[in-house]
Amino acid sequence: MPERLTCAVALHRSAADLIAADVASASLDELGDVLRTTRRLINEMELTFARAAARYAAVHNADEANVGNGEDAIQWLREECRMTSHAARVAIHVGEHEPELRQSIEAVEEGTIGMAHLGWMADTAERLEHSGSRPRGKFDENALLKQAKRLNVQGFRRQCDAFIHRADHEAFVRDEIEGAEGRRLRLVTHDDGVVHLDAWLDREGGELVRAAIDPFARKDGADDHRELAQRRADALIEVCNHVLDTGQVPRHGGQRAHVYVTATLDTLRDVAGAPPASLESGALISGTTVERLACDSTIVRVLLDSASIPIDVGRAARVVPASTRRALNVRDNGCVWPGCDRTASWTQAHHLVHWTASGPTNMSNLCLLCWRHHARVHEGGWVIARTKDGEILTFAPDPWDAPRGREPTTMIA
């Protein structure tokens, strides 16, 4: 490391130590001064980094050996400087477009705009420079700088997009097309069967997904302590479950797409020592979850011999007949859980006393529950019952007991 750089690092650490020493005893107003001053110092270091990153990219990309090996300056910055690809790319753009962003850089140094504002401004200059739809020329930062000084980062980003649209409509449309073509959704199944989703969506796609799941991600009562991320995950599952239940997925091999579960009779009955059930992917689920799925599903009986070879396959039959389901829709008109607003088409028929425990499939032993509240009863250990007057009562599990999925063996009629 060059001697001057070594001295600069030492001075930087000394400054950081001096500032940190005052933080513990600072008042609220003093802490505000510390934050503003520290942020300005960070911004100045970020500007220095951007200049160096742009210079590194220019030298790196000019080396034919690097280009031939497929090495990229952004990749190097990501790995060696522990940055995201976006942050590395923005740093390079800021450094490359410094001559066109003099006033904006001064505003960063003065603290009137942040580095994030400058990053979006540099990104806008880069997009216009390489749009190919307009003659190259000096990027005019004045209009955007005025917006940056009055808007937060999110609001300013929208202004940058609007600026591109006005200056180069074709480039804006091309960005939209590239964004749509860049959509990705990866589902990775881990060894324990848990699935990890990794998605990259363009503006329109992201807005459509948000619009589809957010109405189902609202809290459903004072006792709903799920964080937003969990509520959205539950909402995504609920939407997918609804699409499958209503037959809106294209048929495959002449059959409706759905989730297939294989379970033994002992598993269905939740007998001690019974094996877990398996999904089509091979992932295993508990008998408690199978019990919930079996409440309102199509059952196929398969008899196996001692070598596990099928010797008899029965006809597929609905646990809840269509006529009974229609009557339930009319009577309950949706999820009966107190406070739930899910309509009948978004619910499943639930046996108050499960049919594997000799609970009858009739109106007095059935009610409609949405996916979330159905899971709350089976896997969550809640109990739901109907009084003689038809009122629905719910009882939370004992917090000292493990969640249980078995309802009482007697029915309140």
Side-chain angles (χ1 to χ4, degrees):
M1 182 182 295
E3 183 177 351
R4 291 174 61 181
L5 186 56
T6 302
C7 292
V9 171
L11 288 173
H12 170 75
R13 289 176 176 170
S14 297
D17 290 341
L18 287 172
I19 294 173
D22 292 334
V23 169
S25 59
S27 65
L28 186 62
D29 290 340
E30 290 171 338
L31 283 173
D33 291 336
V34 168
L35 290 172
R36 284 187 290 268
T37 301
T38 304
R39 174 45 55 186
R40 289 187 185 181
L41 291 174
I42 293 172
N43 287 346
E44 290 179 5
M45 294 301 295
E46 290 275 15
L47 288 171
T48 300
F49 182 90
R51 296 182 183 108
R55 174 62 178 159
Y56 181 87
V59 175
H60 184 279
N61 295 339
D63 190 332
E64 294 183 359
N66 292 330
V67 176
N69 293 331
E71 294 180 355
D72 182 82
I74 292 177
Q75 180 181 354
W76 187 93
L77 287 171
R78 185 181 69 237
E79 295 177 357
E80 298 297 327
C81 299
R82 306 297 189 266
M83 305 173 68
T84 64
S85 296
H86 173 75
R89 184 167 51 251
V90 168
I92 292 173
H93 290 169
V94 169
E96 290 176 338
H97 292 278
E98 182 177 4
E100 303 168 89
L101 301 171
R102 295 292 187 188
Q103 297 180 58
S104 301
I105 290 175
E106 289 179 4
V108 170
E109 293 172 338
E110 294 169 356
T112 54
I113 69 171
M115 275 299 298
H117 293 90
L118 182 62
W120 286 116
M121 199 172 297
D123 180 72
T124 303
E126 179 74 11
R127 290 164 66 187
L128 286 177
E129 180 179 340
H130 294 91
S131 68
S133 302
R134 63 193 294 270
R136 292 188 181 184
K138 181 177 175 60
F139 175 71
D140 185 5
E141 63 179 322
N142 291 317
L144 283 178
L145 181 56
K146 293 178 182 177
Q147 300 291 340
K149 289 181 176 180
R150 71 178 187 85
L151 294 172
N152 60 26
V153 176
Q154 185 176 7
F156 179 64
R157 179 180 180 179
R158 287 194 290 267
Q159 289 298 318
C160 289
D161 287 334
F163 185 88
I164 292 286
H165 190 277
R166 291 191 299 269
D168 194 341
H169 177 263
E170 292 181 27
F172 189 91
V173 173
R174 195 159 46 248
D175 285 347
E176 288 184 316
I177 295 173
E178 291 177 357
E181 292 177 346
R183 292 172 183 163
R184 296 291 185 272
L185 175 60
R186 296 180 178 87
L187 288 82
V188 181
T189 303
H190 296 272
D191 293 340
D192 58 358
V194 174
V195 177
H196 173 79
L197 273 69
D198 180 17
W200 181 271
L201 303 176
D202 62 317
R203 297 187 188 104
E204 179 189 1
E207 195 68 18
L208 286 172
V209 171
R210 189 189 303 273
I213 68 174
D214 274 3
F216 300 97
R218 295 191 295 264
K219 290 192 174 184
D220 60 10
D223 63 337
D224 188 351
H225 302 298
R226 296 172 298 161
E227 296 181 353
L228 178 59
Q230 183 182 354
R231 298 200 307 273
R232 280 180 169 160
D234 289 345
L236 178 61
I237 295 173
E238 186 173 1
V239 169
C240 292
N241 188 73
H242 175 73
V243 171
L244 290 172
D245 274 346
T246 54
Q248 299 177 40
V249 177
R251 291 175 177 263
H252 180 69
Q255 295 183 335
R256 284 177 51 186
H258 219 104
V259 175
Y260 292 89
V261 181
T262 302
T264 67
L265 185 59
D266 284 347
T267 301
L268 278 174
R269 290 175 172 171
D270 204 14
V271 176
S278 63
L279 300 173
E280 193 172 13
S281 65
L284 302 180
I285 57 175
S286 69
T288 303
T289 298
V290 174
E291 184 183 74
R292 169 172 56 82
L293 295 173
C295 257
D296 189 8
S297 62
T298 297
I299 302 293
V300 178
R301 186 195 75 248
V302 179
L303 297 180
L304 306 177
D305 62 12
S306 59
S308 297
I309 297 176
I311 57 176
D312 179 61
V313 179
R315 296 181 60 185
R318 291 290 301 179
V319 173
V320 179
S323 58
T324 304
R325 176 62 200 233
R326 287 193 292 270
L328 278 173
N329 291 350
V330 173
R331 186 195 70 186
D332 293 347
N333 198 35
C335 179
V336 299
W337 196 275
C340 187
D341 60 359
R342 298 294 191 270
T343 59
S345 62
W346 287 84
T347 61
Q348 301 161 342
H350 168 68
H351 289 72
L352 296 172
V353 177
H354 200 265
W355 61 272
T356 59
S358 300
T361 302
N362 56 30
M363 295 292 289
S364 62
N365 189 43
L366 291 171
C367 67
L368 296 181
L369 290 176
C370 68
W371 173 83
R372 167 166 159 72
H373 289 125
H374 202 186
R376 176 176 281 193
V377 170
H378 286 275
E379 287 92 338
W382 284 67
V383 173
I384 183 169
R386 183 185 292 111
T387 68
K388 294 181 179 179
D389 298 329
E391 181 184 2
I392 293 294
L393 302 177
T394 59
F395 305 92
D398 189 329
W400 297 105
D401 290 341
R404 52 190 173 82
R406 181 72 63 193
E407 289 95 350
T409 54
T410 57
M411 177 180 60
I412 302 178

